[in-house]
Amino acid sequence: MKKFLSFVVVALLSLSVSAEDSKKATVNSVEWTYVVLDETAKTCKVGAGDAKKDITIVAAIDESITGSITVPESIEGYKVVEINHSAFKRCQVSSIIVPNTVATIGNEAFKKCNSLTKLEIGTGLTSMGEDALSESVNLTDVTIFATTPPPVKTERIFSYNASHPENSPQSAKLHVPAGCKAAYAAAGGWKVFCQCGGIFEDAATGISHVKQTMTSSTERYTLDGRRTNSGKGVNIIRMSDGTTKKVVVK
């Protein structure tokens, strides 16, 4: 009987870890992990999981990806409206653009991104997570196009401590639309930038001009050069624009 109960407990724990049904899709040569939020409204979030609910956190992209990336406005027909908790935590990209469709950014979404120097956030943001930028020490420019400062959970995007520069982006500047500096300088969370690089009213244009180059995968190979459809392990994918990328299939 005890063995049976133990089996039931383990089974229930396994269900809690895998309850969030994450999917993967390639957009603009980047493989994204996403979760459908509303099938009727066709909305989704990038990244998956919730540590507080014992659901394993899954990053939005592979941590080894470098360079500049743009969060897609939609993935396989689902509009991206949310960036999950820890979705880009410890990622190695240098620049991230968040489109106007995104309304919510989760806790620690961009935490410990040591290579991240620039972050652009569209007009649609209505909620910013706690410690979203904590310990991203090389961040120099954050641009947000929302004219009203979005509320920040616990009023802390990151903690500023001049005595411990290793814990926060000490030189980060916040760029906001014209006429919005005073509002951001008084807003919980956002006003921390007054202690760092300052707040500037020079976010003159939105990010709707960003061109989305649509590509798709054409061929997939294993590391030893064999063609494969969906082999597990490290795969080399050739894209329709002639580029290649390396992905890990679990």
Side-chain angles (χ1 to χ4, degrees):
M1 183 65 178
K2 289 183 177 179
K3 289 184 178 179
F4 175 76
L5 290 174
S6 297
F7 172 78
V8 171
V9 170
V10 171
L12 289 173
L13 288 173
S14 298
L15 284 173
S16 69
V17 169
S18 59
E20 190 162 72
D21 187 18
S22 63
K23 305 174 184 292
K24 290 184 180 293
T26 299
V27 181
N28 299 332
S29 302
V30 176
E31 185 176 65
W32 294 85
T33 295
Y34 72 101
V35 173
V36 174
L37 296 174
D38 189 318
E39 188 65 57
T40 302
K42 293 293 182 182
T43 57
C44 72
K45 65 180 177 181
V46 292
D50 187 340
K52 291 184 178 180
K53 295 181 179 179
D54 295 322
I55 302 174
T56 303
I57 292 289
V58 182
I61 60 173
D62 190 276
E63 289 182 6
S64 65
I65 294 175
T66 59
S68 301
I69 63 167
T70 298
V71 177
E73 293 184 355
S74 65
I75 301 177
E76 296 190 322
Y78 296 95
K79 183 168 71 171
V80 178
V81 297
E82 181 178 338
I83 292 175
N84 193 53
H85 307 310
S86 304
F88 293 95
K89 190 174 182 178
R90 296 188 181 89
C91 76
Q92 300 301 309
V93 296
S94 57
S95 174
I96 299 176
I97 295 177
V98 178
N100 298 329
T101 59
V102 171
T104 303
I105 293 177
N107 299 338
E108 301 185 358
F110 308 103
K111 186 175 182 178
K112 294 184 178 180
C113 295
N114 294 328
S115 298
L116 186 65
T117 59
K118 294 184 179 181
L119 174 66
E120 290 188 20
I121 303 172
T123 59
L125 189 68
T126 59
S127 176
M128 189 75 162
E130 178 182 11
D131 288 329
L133 304 177
S134 286
E135 299 179 62
S136 292
V137 295
N138 294 309
L139 189 62
T140 58
D141 294 279
V142 176
T143 301
I144 182 165
F145 298 104
T147 54
T148 299
V152 177
K153 188 174 182 180
T154 70
E155 298 191 349
R156 188 176 71 189
I157 295 180
F158 59 86
S159 298
Y160 177 84
N161 189 330
S163 301
H164 295 280
E166 71 278 7
N167 292 331
S168 62
Q170 298 282 303
S171 302
K173 302 179 182 68
L174 179 64
H175 305 271
V176 302
C180 299
K181 178 178 178 179
Y184 275 92
W190 301 102
K191 62 184 178 182
V192 71
F193 285 93
C194 295
Q195 299 173 268
C196 301
I199 301 177
F200 303 86
E201 293 182 339
D202 55 4
T205 59
I207 59 177
S208 59
H209 67 282
V210 176
K211 182 178 180 181
Q212 299 285 342
T213 303
M214 302 303 293
T215 59
S216 60
S217 60
T218 59
E219 297 173 333
R220 184 185 291 258
Y221 298 87
T222 59
L223 280 178
D224 57 6
R226 292 182 293 106
R227 287 283 296 271
T228 182
N229 290 325
S230 59
K232 293 184 178 181
V234 180
N235 286 191
I236 306 297
I237 299 177
R238 186 183 301 278
M239 307 302 295
S240 58
D241 62 356
T243 60
T244 59
K245 67 172 185 173
K246 184 186 295 184
V247 298
V248 178
V249 180
K250 297 181 180 181

